[in-house]
């Protein structure tokens, strides 16, 4: 009870006296940043996933080779979820001008559950979005099918035993991206008409999908319910399964957001450390007196821990509230960017926010607090006993541990967490050593200078510990600002440039070998320059080493799907420009013996390693070779890429079709009918819609990351403020004495300007080095982006920092200089 | 060893304090003996650096001796750890320091309340108010130390020391930071309050006039105490 009573009184008095403002502000900011990002990413990720849902036309799909189990749609309904069924199969349609193999999709009227179908009423007419699939009695066809069969809107079309009317020209299906290399033209019909066609018998080969959409939690609940009940050859599809390039963009956006949060956490953590240090310094005399008056150590420690705990709790809750308001502001500002309303924020980030606040406080504030336990009561009699210091190893270990915990927790990504933590600790140690060296140099320079320079430089050298804390604080603050620039200007721009304006928006597939040269020549004549065409050979993976590949052996649904379908294999002399060999080596030339290069992600999914012997079934026989390299593929480049590439020696003799991609500007859309006429077997695929979706994700991601970095900016300013405040106390007595000895205001102001400008210069120099290094590590190691050194960053970093800190420091200490010396001395005592 | 301490509130037997510094060993106190009876006022005089404050710290259990024994309120200090010594001081020992040592973030009233709260004394608020009244600062109860003059700060410190009604008061140069007139007022107050509470007073000072007002005067010289006439 005594401890609680004293704690509450002291906390109230702390607040009144303003002792804890800085610590409270740093904590509030940390928690506000974490929770704002938490609330916001929670909502944005759900929205992004939902918009990704358009790629499978649902939030979740159950895909099987037979009808989905009876009762699953009802189960979804019971959970408040919408459902629709879709069935896809190949068949032949009959028209007056002949028959054609087509890919038919029969859907319920409520299809698609996510995204919109877009249709045209005539071939060159405007596109319009429609709310559902075709009504009964109608079919919607791809434009090329109308051209191939010479059909018109309203014409009858024979499908099995029934005849349906052409009701619209199908220009976009949201989930078409799921299989862009489908060769057959597409037809959409109502599922109610299917029975009459007589095309679907129990033995017919068809892909069934049960599409499900609705509330996020309910979807997760349905997924948990369905997983243990999945029949064989049935898989659960999620939006990220739809297209790797979309998943890649979402993944990067998410990484950037977490990174921004972590940087805020690190910077605000530094402010907390500085503020705690200052708070503890102020408490040492009080502790000595209280010990004199008979307070046992355990009581005082309990009082301080309770004080910090209560402060942490209140500050964390205030931070949560600010975080919530912060994300509301962002959501309102970005309302136009999201086609759908953002789902409401869940309360989970509050727990995360409070826990983060407490862990940060524990890691950064407790080690300085432990000093208080070592204060001897004798200090009340003898001030010369000095200040007990917490062991440096303990301080670093506690901060490191807290950081590790928070980073792993926040990032949920061990690679990112480990690299960031190693970087931070390395930076900290290097920073301390460098500052120590630079301070010594400043001390030597002081001896050779005179006037304000001598006073200013000597002030830096006289307090090495204070200078280290201060310059490290300034350095971290400036680093936060520069990182903002690095991420904003360099990393985000590089990310946006992965999908430049001219990114390929058309794929030409099914190009016959004899058409390769004429097609390349045609595209060149049309002003598209040299177009590279890549061979594509269908092959099924049948063995890895001696082990036969059975779908049932792969519990991962993605792996199971990969091995049940045919791979698109290719061969090449050199890797493509957006491929990077990450393990093994690429073959030296076209004559190299048979071998394979496998995309890293697919290798991981299928458990394929370097040296494994792969056997594919291609055109009725086996082709075999070892895996000699693994590649990282930049899927969101929209260039043609392959999971598995072989040496020409292995596949050049096989029957192949060719594929290419190119950018068709909107004003050249007339080229496609001309191309189809000249090369009738070539299938053009328009991926503009998908490209647009990915680009939108990137743009939104960039905006969100910039917003989150505003918190980092605030934390950076706070840490710099803490750095200035840290030295303010020490200066009071010193300035009083200097003024008494006759130092003029101008000389003192000059020395302050020199001291802070030099500190800013050193901090800026160090921060620029670390910002570039961090930028490089983040770009190259974590995001797989190219990174170039930015000379302007150095200029801004070094000179901007010297100016900013010189000005801010001088202004902050100005009251000390103008105050009468007696008043300053009295306050200092 | 058992020492009869019925009337003795503070006792040092063969006390020694030796420090190892960068320039070699330094003996501050050597074979020092002292006994202070309940209600007695003892002045310790000596030049700067003679070890007066060190002795005060040892007698109050703020520091550990390198030799000898210290007894405080019937308890041998050497048997206690630092927390035990703090508990022994709690409510039994009052301090008055040269530089007042008030907590800057607490008002005058709150500074006086602090030792009472630490001991969980019932009626702490009433006792603090009484103590403030006794030192004539009721009107300045809610002022912070920085808003008080040096003399007023020392009066608050005396009220804080006496409010728990201690058995012994330790005063370290209580007038050292004050002018002569104020210093005299402070000493008057200190002695009056000591008389009211019946506490013993051990006062370190270099002012012979101040020392003369105590029951007994001792001179610190060469690490030992010699009685003065």
């Amino acid at each position: 009870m005594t401890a609680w009573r004293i704690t509450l009184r002291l906390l109230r008095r702390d607040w009144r006296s303003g002792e804890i403002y800085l610590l409270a502000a740093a904590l509030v900011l940390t928690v506000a940043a974490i929770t704002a990002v938490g609330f916001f990413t929670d909502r944005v990720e759900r929205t992004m996933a939902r918009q990704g849902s358009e790629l499978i036309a649902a939030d979740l799909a159950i895909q099987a080779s037979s009808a989905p189990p009876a009762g699953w749609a009802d189960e979804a309904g019971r959970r408040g979820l919408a459902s629709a069924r879709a069935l896809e199969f190949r068949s032949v349609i009959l028209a007056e001008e002949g028959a054609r193999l087509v890919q038919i999709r029969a859907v319920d009227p409520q299809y698609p559950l996510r995204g919109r179908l877009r249709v045209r009423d005539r071939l060159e007419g405007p596109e319009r979005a429609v709310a559902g699939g075709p009504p009964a009695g109608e079919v919607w066809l791809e434009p090329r099918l109308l051209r191939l069969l010479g059909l018109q809107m309203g014409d009858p079309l024979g499908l099995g035993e029934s005849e349906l009317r052409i009701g619209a020209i199908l220009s976009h299906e949201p989930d078409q991206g799921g299989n862009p290399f489908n060769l057959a033209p597409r037809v959409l019909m109502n599922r109610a008409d299917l029975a009459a066609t007589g095309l679907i018998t129990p033995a017919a080969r068809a892909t069934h999908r049960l599409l499900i959409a609705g509330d996020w939690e309910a979807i997760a609940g349905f997924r948990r319910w369905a997983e243990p009940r999945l029949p064989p050859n049935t898989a659960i599809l999620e939006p990220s399964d739809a297209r790797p390039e979309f998943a890649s963009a979402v993944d990067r956006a998410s990484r950037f957001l977490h990174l921004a949060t972590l940087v805020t956490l690190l910077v605000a953590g530094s402010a907390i450390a500085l503020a705690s240090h200052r708070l503890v310094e102020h408490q040492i005399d009080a502790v000595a007196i209280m010990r004199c008056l008979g307070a046992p150590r355990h009581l005082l420690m309990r009082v301080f821990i309770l004080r910090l705990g209560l402060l942490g709790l209140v500050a964390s809750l205030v931070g949560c509230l600010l975080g919530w308001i912060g994300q509301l502001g962002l959501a309102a500002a970005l309302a136009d960017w999201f086609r759908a309303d953002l789902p409401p924020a869940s309360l989970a980030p509050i727990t995360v926010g409070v826990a983060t606040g407490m862990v940060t406080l524990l890691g950064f504030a407790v080690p300085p607090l432990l000093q208080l336990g070592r204060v001897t009561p004798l200090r009340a009699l003898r001030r010369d006993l000095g200040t007990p210091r917490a062991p440096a190893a303990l301080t670093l270990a506690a901060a490191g541990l807290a950081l590790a915990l928070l980073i792993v927790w926040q990032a949920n990504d061990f690679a990112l967490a480990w690299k960031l933590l190693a970087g931070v600790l390395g930076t900290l140690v290097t920073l301390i050593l460098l500052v120590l060296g630079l301070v010594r140099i400043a001390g030597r320079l002081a001896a050779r200078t005179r006037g304000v320079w001598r006073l200013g430089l000597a002030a830096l050298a006289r307090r090495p510990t204070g200078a280290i804390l201060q310059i490290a604080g300034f350095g971290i603050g400036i680093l936060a600002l520069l990182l903002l620039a690095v991420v904003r200007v360099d990393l985000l721009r590089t990310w946006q440039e992965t999908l430049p304006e001219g990114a390929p928006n058309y794929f030409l597939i099914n190009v016959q070998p004899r058409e390769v040269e004429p097609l390349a020549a045609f595209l060149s004549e049309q002003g598209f320059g040299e177009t590279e065409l890549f061979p594509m050979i269908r092959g099924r993976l049948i063995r890895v080493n001696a082990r036969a590949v059975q779908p049932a052996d792969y519990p991962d649904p993605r792996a199971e799907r990969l091995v049940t379908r045919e791979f698109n294999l290719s061969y090449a002399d050199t890797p493509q420009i957006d491929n990077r060999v990450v393990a093994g080596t690429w073959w030296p030339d076209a004559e190299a013996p048979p071998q394979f290069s496998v995309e890293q992600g697919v290798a991981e999914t299928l458990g394929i390693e370097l040296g494994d012997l792969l056997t594919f079934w291609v055109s009725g026989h086996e082709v075999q070779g070892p895996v000699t390299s693994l590649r990282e593929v930049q899927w969101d480049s929209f260039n043609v890429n392959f999971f598995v590439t072989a040496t020409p020696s292995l596949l050049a003799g096989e029957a192949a079709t060719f594929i290419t991609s190119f950018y068709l500007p909107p004003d050249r859309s007339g080229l496609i009918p001309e191309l189809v006429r000249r090369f009738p077997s070539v299938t053009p695929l328009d991926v503009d819609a998908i490209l647009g979706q990915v680009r939108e994700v990137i743009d939104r991601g960039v905006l969100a990351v910039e917003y989150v970095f505003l918190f980092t900016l605030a934390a950076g300013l706070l840490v710099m403020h803490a750095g200035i405040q840290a030295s303010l106390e020490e200066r009071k007595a010193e300035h009083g004495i200097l003024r008494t000895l006759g130092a003029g205001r101008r000389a003192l102001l000059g020395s302050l300007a020199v001291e802070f400008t030099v500190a800013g210069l050193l901090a800026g120099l160090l921060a620029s080095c670390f910002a570039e290094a961090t930028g490089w590590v983040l770009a190259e190691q974590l995001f797989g982006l190219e990174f170039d050194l930015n000379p302007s960053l150095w200029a801004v970093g070094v000179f901007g920092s010297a100016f900013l800190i010189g000005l801010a420091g001088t202004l902050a200490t100005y009251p000390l200089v103008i105050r009468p010396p007696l008043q300053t001395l009295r306050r200092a005592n | 060893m058992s020492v009869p301490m019925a009337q003795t509130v503070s006792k040092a037997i063969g006390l020694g304090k030796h420090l190892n510094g960068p320039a070699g060993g330094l003996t501050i106190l050597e074979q020092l003996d002292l006994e202070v009876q309940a209600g007695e006022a003892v002045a310790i005089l000596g030049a700067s650096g003679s070890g007066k404050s060190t002795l005060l710290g040892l007698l109050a259990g703020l520091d550990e001796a390198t030799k000898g024994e210290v007894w405080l309120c019937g308890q041998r200090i050497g048997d206690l750890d630092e927390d035990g010594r703090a508990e022994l001081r709690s409510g039994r020992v009052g301090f008055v320091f040269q530089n007042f040592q008030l907590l800057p973030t607490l008002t005058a009233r709150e500074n006086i309340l602090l030792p009472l709260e630490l001991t969980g004394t019932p009626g702490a608020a009433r006792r603090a108010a009484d103590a403030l009244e006794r030192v004539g600062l009721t009107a300045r109860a809610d002022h912070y130390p920085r808003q008080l003059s040096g003399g007023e700060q020392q009066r608050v410190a005396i009220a804080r020391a006496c409010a728990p009604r201690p058995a012994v008061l330790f005063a370290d140069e209580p007038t050292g930071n004050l002018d002569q007139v104020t210093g005299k007022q402070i000493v008057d107050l200190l002695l009056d309050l000591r008389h009211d509470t019946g506490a013993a007073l051990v006062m370190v000072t270099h002012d012979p006039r101040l020392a003369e007002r105590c029951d007994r005067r001792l001179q610190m010289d060469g690490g030992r105490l010699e009685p003065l006439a």
Side-chain angles (χ1 to χ4, degrees):
Chain A
M1 269 316 286
T2 306
W4 273 103
R5 203 171 52 238
I6 297 174
T7 302
L8 290 174
R9 278 184 189 245
L10 288 179
L11 202 56
R12 210 171 56 234
R13 291 158 196 170
D14 285 342
W15 185 254
R16 266 197 330 238
S17 67
E19 287 270 300
I20 50 172
Y21 287 166
L22 197 59
L23 183 58
L27 258 180
V28 165
L29 195 67
T30 309
V31 176
I34 298 287
T35 46
V37 171
F39 284 127
F40 182 67
T41 50
D42 184 49
R43 299 178 72 185
V44 168
E45 278 174 7
R46 282 156 70 172
T47 308
M48 280 179 170
R50 181 158 290 200
Q51 288 181 355
S53 299
E54 292 178 12
L55 299 176
I56 59 167
D59 292 332
L60 194 80
I62 307 293
Q63 180 171 295
S65 51
S66 55
W72 281 37
D74 294 340
E75 177 63 28
R78 268 196 294 280
R79 292 170 180 270
L81 297 166
S83 67
R85 283 185 57 188
L87 184 67
E88 204 163 312
F89 57 97
R90 286 187 180 200
S91 186
V92 171
I93 55 169
L94 302 167
E96 282 182 12
E97 290 199 16
R100 191 82 190 187
L101 181 71
V102 291
Q103 186 81 13
I104 298 175
R105 180 183 276 175
V107 295
D108 286 343
Q110 61 269 38
Y111 165 89
L113 298 180
R114 296 282 179 230
R116 289 287 188 92
L117 287 163
R118 288 202 292 274
V119 296
R120 289 190 170 98
D121 295 321
R122 50 193 167 80
L123 270 174
E124 307 303 329
E127 203 178 61
R128 64 184 168 90
V130 287
E138 264 190 24
V139 281
W140 297 353
L141 273 58
E142 258 191 88
R144 60 177 164 142
L145 198 58
L146 274 89
R147 288 194 194 101
L148 286 167
L149 295 174
L151 292 167
Q152 298 290 325
M153 279 283 288
D155 283 355
L157 196 71
L159 197 61
E161 295 163 13
S162 62
E163 194 174 84
L164 301 167
R165 195 180 60 83
I166 301 173
I169 298 160
L170 188 58
S171 57
H172 171 73
E173 291 168 88
D175 51 345
Q176 183 189 351
N179 189 2
F181 300 107
N182 200 340
L183 299 184
R186 302 177 63 77
V187 173
L188 199 64
M189 65 180 286
N190 194 301
R191 200 164 69 90
D193 294 330
L194 198 57
T197 64
L199 289 172
I200 290 296
T201 61
R205 281 191 64 184
T207 304
H208 296 253
R209 275 191 186 182
L210 173 64
L211 307 175
I212 294 164
D215 176 68
W216 191 257
E217 299 296 326
I219 288 286
F222 181 82
R223 195 195 162 109
R224 280 195 297 276
W225 174 86
E227 263 170 347
R229 295 175 172 79
L230 271 188
N233 295 322
T234 305
I236 295 178
L237 295 188
E238 288 198 321
S240 58
D241 295 324
R243 288 194 65 94
E245 63 274 11
F246 185 84
S248 167
V250 172
D251 178 55
R252 274 193 186 154
S254 169
R255 275 177 169 232
F256 269 123
L257 280 175
H258 285 306
L259 175 77
T261 318
L262 286 174
V263 174
T264 310
L265 187 78
L266 294 178
V267 177
S270 313
I272 289 175
L274 279 175
S276 320
H277 179 78
R278 182 166 169 247
L279 184 69
V280 166
E281 293 273 318
H282 281 199
Q283 298 293 336
I284 286 174
D285 284 337
V287 168
I289 295 166
M290 286 198 273
R291 301 227 52 205
C292 265
L293 298 177
R297 190 201 317 249
H298 62 82
L299 174 71
L300 289 179
M301 292 312 288
R302 211 159 58 225
V303 165
F304 274 96
I305 287 169
L306 281 173
R307 245 163 117 187
L308 270 190
L310 281 177
L311 169 71
L313 193 66
V314 172
S316 299
L317 290 174
V318 173
C320 286
L321 185 68
L322 276 185
W324 189 74
I325 294 171
Q327 62 85 29
L328 275 187
L330 179 62
L334 292 184
D336 291 344
W337 290 72
F338 296 94
R339 284 195 299 260
D341 284 342
L342 284 170
S346 71
L347 293 178
I350 292 180
T351 321
V352 178
V354 172
T356 305
M358 299 311 271
V359 171
T360 313
L361 199 60
L362 207 69
F364 287 93
V366 165
L369 181 82
L370 291 178
Q371 291 177 58
L372 293 177
R374 298 169 62 222
V375 173
T376 163
L378 196 59
R379 193 185 144 91
L381 279 177
R382 292 179 48 200
R383 296 295 300 270
D384 60 307
L385 286 177
T387 309
R389 298 265 168 227
L394 177 76
T395 311
L396 273 179
L401 200 69
L403 274 182
L405 193 71
L406 292 170
I407 289 175
V408 169
W409 189 17
Q410 272 295 313
N412 199 17
D413 177 341
F414 278 96
L416 180 70
W418 166 240
K419 283 178 185 170
L420 206 60
L421 189 65
V424 167
L425 291 181
T427 305
L428 209 62
V429 172
T430 321
L431 199 67
I432 289 171
L433 292 176
L434 284 175
V435 173
L436 206 59
L438 291 171
V439 164
R440 285 203 178 144
I441 294 173
R444 283 189 191 166
L445 281 176
R448 294 179 191 177
T449 50
R450 50 178 53 204
V452 294
W453 282 93
R454 186 186 187 116
L455 274 176
L457 291 174
L460 268 181
R462 211 167 31 243
R463 293 185 292 259
T465 315
I468 286 172
L469 273 178
Q470 193 173 46
I471 296 178
F474 290 153
I476 289 167
I478 296 290
L479 180 63
L481 302 184
L482 294 181
L483 268 182
L484 182 69
V486 167
V487 172
R488 168 71 189 85
V489 179
D490 296 332
L491 278 185
L492 294 184
R493 193 189 55 207
T494 313
W495 184 29
Q496 280 173 314
E497 281 173 0
T498 58
L499 203 56
E501 280 305 312
N505 59 354
Y506 263 89
F507 280 80
L508 299 179
I509 60 175
N510 206 24
V511 181
Q512 301 305 311
R514 61 185 154 74
E515 292 173 321
V516 169
E517 279 182 25
L519 179 66
F522 171 77
L523 288 173
S524 174
E525 277 165 27
Q526 296 292 329
F528 291 95
E530 277 195 29
T531 311
E532 195 175 357
L533 283 106
F534 302 91
M536 192 162 87
I537 297 127
R538 310 277 283 180
R540 188 180 298 276
L541 180 65
I542 53 170
R543 275 199 308 279
V544 175
N545 298 325
R547 179 171 54 83
V549 169
Q550 301 288 345
D553 294 342
Y554 294 90
D556 177 3
R558 181 172 180 240
E560 190 190 335
R561 277 199 308 283
L562 277 168
V563 295
T564 42
R565 72 177 202 197
E566 287 187 319
F567 276 82
N568 291 315
L569 308 170
S570 188
Y571 58 86
D573 305 348
T574 52
Q576 279 174 250
I577 46 166
D578 52 1
N579 283 213
R580 193 163 64 96
V581 174
V582 290
T585 46
W586 187 267
W587 40 88
D589 51 49
E591 310 305 321
Q595 51 198 297
F596 287 111
S597 174
V598 182
E599 191 261 345
Q600 194 182 20
V602 87
E604 271 171 31
T605 308
L606 296 178
I608 295 171
E609 291 176 359
L610 274 185
D612 280 352
L613 193 65
L614 304 185
T615 309
F616 285 90
W617 184 256
V618 177
S619 308
H621 66 276
E622 291 183 2
V623 293
Q624 197 176 60
V627 177
T628 54
S629 66
L630 298 178
R631 283 169 296 127
E632 191 178 82
V633 174
Q634 196 187 319
W635 290 106
D636 47 11
S637 70
F638 276 72
N639 289 322
V640 174
N641 270 300
F642 298 91
F643 283 144
V644 181
T645 305
T647 47
S649 57
L650 195 59
L651 290 177
E654 303 296 339
T657 59
F658 286 75
I659 175 172
T660 189
S661 64
F662 69 107
Y663 173 68
L664 183 72
D667 58 343
R668 304 278 315 267
S669 58
L671 180 83
I672 295 300
E674 169 69 5
L675 191 142
V676 171
R677 197 184 54 74
R678 293 265 301 265
F679 305 94
S681 69
V682 171
T683 307
L685 278 179
D686 177 0
V687 291
D688 239 351
I690 296 165
L691 196 66
Q693 278 173 308
V694 173
R695 185 169 278 134
E696 220 173 315
V697 167
I698 293 178
D699 288 344
R700 279 178 209 153
V702 166
L703 205 67
V705 171
E706 284 174 0
Y707 179 81
V708 172
F709 261 103
L710 287 181
F711 284 97
T712 318
L713 182 70
L717 294 176
L718 196 67
V719 82
M720 284 197 276
H721 174 68
I724 290 172
Q725 289 294 320
S727 68
L728 215 55
E729 300 298 321
E730 296 174 35
R731 288 170 203 281
K732 282 184 183 166
E734 190 178 297
H735 279 243
I737 293 165
L738 284 171
R739 291 286 312 279
T740 315
L741 293 176
R745 289 182 185 181
R746 186 176 290 182
L748 283 181
L749 271 180
S751 78
L752 281 173
V754 165
E755 183 189 341
F756 279 108
T757 306
V758 171
L761 200 76
L762 299 181
L765 191 69
L766 297 174
S768 302
C769 295
F770 288 120
E772 286 284 31
T774 313
W776 178 81
V777 171
L778 292 176
E780 303 261 340
Q781 304 291 311
L782 289 172
F783 295 102
L785 301 168
E786 295 263 331
F787 185 77
D788 295 321
L789 281 181
N790 182 351
S792 61
L793 181 126
W794 289 79
V796 173
V798 176
F799 297 110
S801 156
F803 176 74
L804 185 74
I805 291 174
L807 187 70
T810 311
L811 286 179
T813 43
Y814 183 69
L816 291 185
V817 176
I818 57 166
R819 194 177 290 155
L822 184 64
Q823 208 180 336
T824 308
L825 280 174
R826 190 175 288 159
R827 287 195 182 201
N829 288 326
Chain B
M1 181 173 131
S2 166
V3 178
M5 302 275 291
Q7 293 298 308
T8 306
V9 286
S10 176
K11 182 171 177 132
I13 305 166
L15 196 61
K17 181 71 179 176
H18 187 86
L19 290 180
N20 289 314
L26 175 68
T27 299
I28 301 170
L29 304 177
E30 199 170 13
Q31 283 298 317
L32 185 146
D33 295 314
L34 173 68
E35 198 165 329
V36 180
Q37 302 302 323
E40 187 186 15
V42 177
I44 299 171
L45 289 131
S48 288
S50 61
K52 303 187 298 288
S53 296
T54 304
L55 173 63
L56 203 68
L58 290 171
L59 291 176
L62 303 182
D63 198 6
E64 288 176 43
T66 39
K67 252 198 266 175
E69 283 182 13
V70 176
W71 291 71
L72 182 64
C73 300
Q75 180 87 40
R76 189 165 65 176
I77 283 177
D79 294 341
L80 302 170
D81 62 6
E82 202 155 297
D83 272 353
R85 296 200 294 269
E87 271 182 47
L88 177 63
R89 283 194 297 274
S90 171
R92 296 187 188 91
V93 173
F95 282 96
V96 180
F97 302 99
Q98 180 179 0
N99 52 0
F100 325 131
Q101 296 283 27
L102 298 176
L103 298 196
T105 58
L106 303 188
T107 61
R109 188 206 316 273
E110 288 167 344
N111 264 291
I112 298 168
L113 265 174
L114 189 65
L116 300 168
E117 282 179 344
L118 286 172
T119 51
T121 308
R126 183 67 253 158
R127 279 170 80 163
D130 289 347
L132 262 175
E133 193 183 344
R134 185 69 184 80
V135 298
L137 285 176
T138 305
R140 316 210 66 174
D142 294 323
H143 285 65
Y144 287 92
R146 65 171 185 276
Q147 297 167 314
L148 301 173
S149 69
E152 286 171 331
Q153 288 191 49
Q154 195 61 303
R155 276 150 73 186
V156 174
I158 290 170
R160 180 178 68 183
C162 295
R165 291 169 197 153
V168 56
L169 273 171
F170 290 103
D172 182 26
E173 304 275 12
T175 59
N177 272 358
L178 303 171
D179 62 71
Q180 205 172 339
V181 176
T182 315
K184 184 179 175 309
Q185 289 169 353
I186 288 297
V187 171
D188 289 345
L189 188 63
L190 190 60
L191 291 172
D192 284 354
L193 273 171
R194 180 206 54 106
H195 189 262
D196 291 354
T197 56
L201 172 67
V202 179
M203 180 164 61
V204 161
T205 181
H206 59 263
D207 184 350
R209 279 175 300 179
L210 179 56
E212 271 174 18
R213 302 183 61 187
C214 293
D215 302 330
R216 196 150 54 105
R217 291 173 302 286
L218 302 167
Q219 176 74 38
M220 174 74 90
D221 195 12
R224 291 168 191 266
L225 282 176
E226 301 293 340
L228 284 174

